[in-house]
Amino acid sequence: MPNASYKIFCDSEQGLFYLFPLISSVVTLLVMITYLLTGIFKEKLGQMTFAIILANFLHCAPLAILTFTVKATKFSCVLWQLISVFGTVSVFFWTSFFAISILILLKQRNLDSIDKAKRYFLAIGTITPLVLTLAVVPMNYTGLSSDSVCIHKFIQGAIDYGFLASTLIPLTAAFLVSLLCYSYIYRAMRGGPSSSKERMLLFLYPTVLLVCWLPMIAVHAYFAMGNDVSQTIVYIAQGISYSQGLLHCVIYGGSKRLFDGFRSVFKCCAPKHKESLMGLSLTSGSNSDTYLGQTSVPIIRSVLEFQGSLLQSQF
């Protein structure tokens, strides 16, 4: 089988496609700064969404840096690609952890249960991506071409085990876990105050994963069948996969409080007053917790409204 390779976002030939990792890197960085400066990071689910956004930043930023590197080296190619792989795998794990957390919140109605689960999430979400990232090192996942361009090496007609370990397997697992969790939540919330269309937003989370990565999976599958793919098609598939950071900032971090905090932090039309998205608070042990509506994206708000209707029916 002939050896082949494709370029990894680090020369000028890709035209506009370099904007995808750059935009996602900038947006995720700004959202993380806002989280830290406004205190959203300290809130229960704020920590979970922060982990997702941080993982997306690690996924996108190395490729944005490589794009503007004048001359890549073997060391820089390997280093930045390993950081990107770690971020990629971490995104998959933390998105599935987020789905599990919402399910726990729906069933237990107690924030302490999420705190206990987060200990396991932190251990699994750090150690497993690190192991999978180190596993691709002996596979020569990344190389340097004769014209100092970072490339991903593969053999046409053979399975790309590096992509399998770093992307396809964890992506499939995360998608299935998220789909199962959100399907259960969708069924459980029937009869609540949320509409069918609002509940369908649950499936937006796993759908974004699928849409962002299906083109790249198709490219690798086509390679594995012994076919050649033009570099332009590879750039398009890469660009779509690196739009994930931007989309995750919208669906996981897109709350009104984040937007108000962003305007306040960056001195742009600062809000005259703070307003929670809804007035429902849950209790953690004997103490009232923060208003989760402030940090929740729309579907979390719907879950909380559903819980509120259940609580009211008990009195």
Side-chain angles (χ1 to χ4, degrees), residues 83-110:
I83 294 174
S84 182
V85 168
F86 178 81
T88 302
V89 180
S90 297
V91 169
F92 300 150
F93 274 88
W94 283 104
T95 51
S96 60
F97 294 159
F98 181 85
I100 295 171
S101 296
I102 300 303
L103 180 60
I104 292 174
L105 183 62
L106 182 68
K107 293 174 68 69
Q108 301 294 332
R109 306 178 203 170
N110 191 312

Side-chain angles (χ1 to χ4, degrees), residues 105-160:
L105 183 62
L106 182 68
K107 293 174 68 69
Q108 301 294 332
R109 306 178 203 170
N110 191 312
L111 294 172
D112 289 336
S113 58
I114 295 181
D115 282 335
K116 294 175 182 177
K118 278 196 296 188
R119 301 171 188 172
Y120 299 100
F121 294 160
L122 183 60
I124 297 172
T126 303
I127 296 174
T128 309
L130 183 60
V131 170
L132 291 176
T133 300
L134 295 176
V136 305
V137 173
M139 300 178 187
N140 293 320
Y141 191 78
T142 304
L144 186 68
S145 68
S146 58
D147 54 347
S148 298
V149 172
C150 295
I151 57 174
H152 171 62
K153 299 178 180 179
F154 64 95
I155 300 177
Q156 286 179 274
I159 297 175
D160 187 343

Side-chain angles (χ1 to χ4, degrees), residues 216-266:
M216 206 62 202
I217 293 173
V219 166
H220 279 268
Y222 201 63
F223 278 141
M225 291 187 292
N227 302 302
D228 192 17
V229 179
S230 71
Q231 186 65 47
T232 301
I233 297 297
V234 174
Y235 285 145
I236 294 174
Q238 284 179 317
I240 294 174
S241 68
Y242 287 108
S243 66
Q244 174 183 262
L246 173 63
L247 294 176
H248 276 176
C249 284
V250 173
I251 65 173
Y252 286 102
S255 67
K256 183 179 184 296
R257 185 180 180 189
L258 177 71
F259 180 67
D260 288 346
F262 180 84
R263 291 190 299 174
S264 177
V265 168
F266 295 99

Side-chain angles (χ1 to χ4, degrees), residues 23-84:
I23 292 173
S24 288
S25 298
V26 171
V27 172
T28 51
L29 180 60
L30 292 177
V31 170
M32 286 191 297
I33 292 173
T34 305
Y35 263 59
L36 293 173
L37 294 182
T38 59
I40 297 177
F41 171 77
K42 297 179 181 179
E43 298 175 359
K44 300 292 184 179
L45 292 177
Q47 297 171 5
M48 190 76 62
T49 54
F50 182 86
I52 295 173
I53 295 168
L54 173 59
N56 273 290
F57 176 76
L58 294 177
H59 165 62
C60 299
L63 278 298
I65 293 172
L66 280 176
T67 300
F68 294 99
T69 300
V70 177
K71 185 176 181 180
T73 64
K74 171 69 174 178
F75 176 77
S76 65
C77 287
V78 173
L79 175 63
W80 292 118
Q81 187 65 15
L82 288 179
I83 294 174
S84 182

